[in-house]
Amino acid sequence: MQAQIDVAEYWQLMDQRAVVKTPRSTRNVAILLCDGFSLFDLGLVAEVFRELNQSTVAACTADSRVSITMISMRGGYVTNSVSVRIRTDAIDEHLTERFDGVFVLGGASENIASVDPADLRALRRLLVNAGSVKWNDQGWAVIAASGYEPTTENFASLVGQSVNSSLSAALSFIPGSLYTEISHKIMRHVVAPSLDLSYVDEDGLNEVSVVDRVHAAAQWITRNCRRAISVAQAAEVARMSERTFLRRFKVVTGKTPSEHLLDARFEMSCRLLRETTLPVDKIARRCGMSSGERISRVFRKRLAQTPSEYRAAHRATGRSA
DNA sequence: AACTCACCCCGCCACA
DNA sequence: ATTGTGGCGGGGTGAG
């Protein structure tokens, strides 16, 4: 049995005190929901915008507030990971509109292959018109499938140390003056309790365990695998010396940081090969691998086949790695 | 194919 | 004495 939630009802559930709707000059942000999206992630995003709107009310800076529009490829009800359905507008209804930001909350990756190419073209138009485009880990696949090329600023803004890619992307909408206040509130009240992490205050009164720091660094590596990142940077994320980081990472995850990075790049390239028609060389660069030659070596070593052979096999059968 | 360079990993050891 | 941490140096690997 599935529950059906209207958008307005949902936002009231997130905050009984105020539905995100503002009378004065506001930034217009669209959240694009894909089938199978995570309700937890949507909740995190909603909390970020709710905190932003409340903070800006307090600070009387209405131009920093956001108005949210929930959309999906076809509109209507979108089903998430726990079978709660949320009503959305179709992209087509907003094609003439220019959003200040579009947030793509991706879902189960196997659904992307079944998306109508016309819908992907509409999505691309929406993204091209938008002021900025953000996405969570799963959202990237649908953006790539649409053919939209993110700007370097959009990529750069996602370089963070947050424990969740949806949260990290949502926080990148926050103006610099409010960023610290809001990210700390969310970490303290939402993320830390839900993930059973002890939150680290700026004054360092509460310490996060070594295991949590290693996991945070591992997630940072996964999220940033498309960039040229180093073990030294990952060690900084974990706030350890490189030597200790290498030692701890191996104990906690069973592999070295560079193996973890290569795994993340390999999985990403597999997904793009299955779900897009991008040339192998372009996929290699998007996945942080220097060239087609490099990605071929990785595929030969791991699967004893070339990226093209992998794509042909998985296009034909629809299987995933 | 051989070379150089940068990076990664790990053993060893000193220190708190 | 034990444990955790970090510096150093050497071997391995990949890119150009």
Side-chain angles (χ1 to χ4, degrees):
Chain A
M1 186 172 119
Q2 293 180 321
Q4 295 184 4
I5 297 184
D6 188 273
V7 176
E9 285 173 41
Y10 179 78
W11 287 99
Q12 275 176 328
L13 276 174
M14 299 311 299
D15 180 7
Q16 295 293 337
R17 289 161 294 185
V19 175
V20 181
K21 190 177 282 185
T22 47
R24 291 209 288 155
S25 70
T26 59
R27 289 190 293 162
N28 200 11
V29 172
I31 298 180
L32 176 79
L33 294 181
C34 303
D35 273 335
F37 71 92
S38 155
L39 190 61
F40 175 74
D41 283 7
L42 177 60
L44 280 179
V45 175
E47 274 300 304
V48 169
F49 290 133
R50 189 179 68 76
E51 287 289 353
L52 175 64
N53 282 351
Q54 286 204 327
S55 293
T56 52
V57 166
C60 299
T61 51
D63 56 342
S64 290
R65 299 170 71 185
V66 293
S67 164
I68 303 293
T69 305
M70 306 293 271
I71 57 175
S72 64
M73 292 288 189
R74 288 291 176 89
Y77 287 102
V78 181
T79 307
N80 74 355
S81 52
V82 289
S83 298
V84 172
R85 298 201 295 168
I86 292 186
R87 206 173 67 195
T88 60
D89 294 345
I91 288 179
D92 285 347
E93 296 172 48
H94 295 279
L95 276 183
T96 55
E97 202 169 334
R98 186 192 182 278
F99 287 102
D100 297 300
V102 174
F103 189 111
V104 179
L105 202 61
S109 59
E110 60 264 26
N111 294 335
I112 292 169
S114 59
V115 176
D116 188 328
D119 291 340
L120 290 174
R121 283 195 294 276
L123 171 61
R124 187 172 180 281
R125 258 181 76 187
L126 184 85
L127 298 180
V128 166
N129 286 337
S132 66
V133 177
K134 312 288 180 188
W135 58 91
N136 66 346
D137 283 346
Q138 296 79 14
W140 168 250
V142 71
I143 290 176
S146 78
Y148 171 75
E149 298 273 357
T151 62
T152 49
E153 298 89 71
N154 284 334
F155 268 119
S157 66
L158 292 175
V159 180
Q161 298 175 14
S162 175
V163 294
N164 176 289
S165 68
S166 302
L167 176 61
S168 174
L171 286 172
S172 65
F173 277 110
I174 306 297
S177 55
L178 292 164
Y179 182 89
T180 305
E181 176 199 332
I182 291 177
S183 63
H184 280 227
K185 271 187 184 168
I186 297 289
M187 282 299 288
R188 199 158 33 228
H189 298 138
V190 183
V191 178
S194 64
L195 297 183
D196 198 23
L197 292 175
S198 51
Y199 173 75
V200 180
D201 286 316
E202 275 195 318
D203 54 14
L205 290 178
N206 297 315
E207 284 222 8
V208 170
S209 75
V210 167
V211 173
D212 292 331
R213 277 147 65 194
V214 167
H215 282 310
Q219 288 177 2
W220 179 84
I221 289 172
T222 303
R223 272 203 312 283
N224 293 285
C225 69
R226 63 178 70 96
R227 300 168 50 230
I229 58 175
S230 68
V231 172
Q233 288 173 300
E236 275 180 38
V237 172
R239 298 197 309 284
M240 294 174 200
S241 69
E242 271 188 70
R243 183 71 194 90
T244 300
F245 178 63
L246 287 170
R247 196 158 31 205
R248 291 290 159 204
F249 197 97
K250 190 80 184 275
V251 170
V252 172
T253 69
K255 51 190 175 185
T256 67
S258 64
E259 283 168 351
H260 181 81
L261 175 61
L262 191 59
D263 283 351
R265 286 174 171 166
F266 177 69
E267 279 169 27
M268 189 180 179
S269 54
C270 285
R271 206 172 66 225
L272 290 180
L273 283 166
R274 291 195 307 270
E275 296 166 2
T276 71
T277 56
L278 290 169
V280 173
D281 203 54
K282 204 162 188 175
I283 287 177
R285 285 194 297 274
R286 279 199 189 177
C287 298
M289 292 194 251
S290 50
S291 66
E293 195 184 337
R294 168 84 177 126
I295 196 175
S296 289
R297 269 205 305 276
V298 172
F299 269 74
R300 203 160 297 144
K301 194 170 177 183
R302 294 184 171 219
L303 302 175
Q305 61 185 175
T306 66
S308 302
E309 285 166 353
Y310 173 87
R311 170 176 268 166
H314 290 77
R315 274 281 155 83
T317 62
R319 284 180 287 123
S320 57

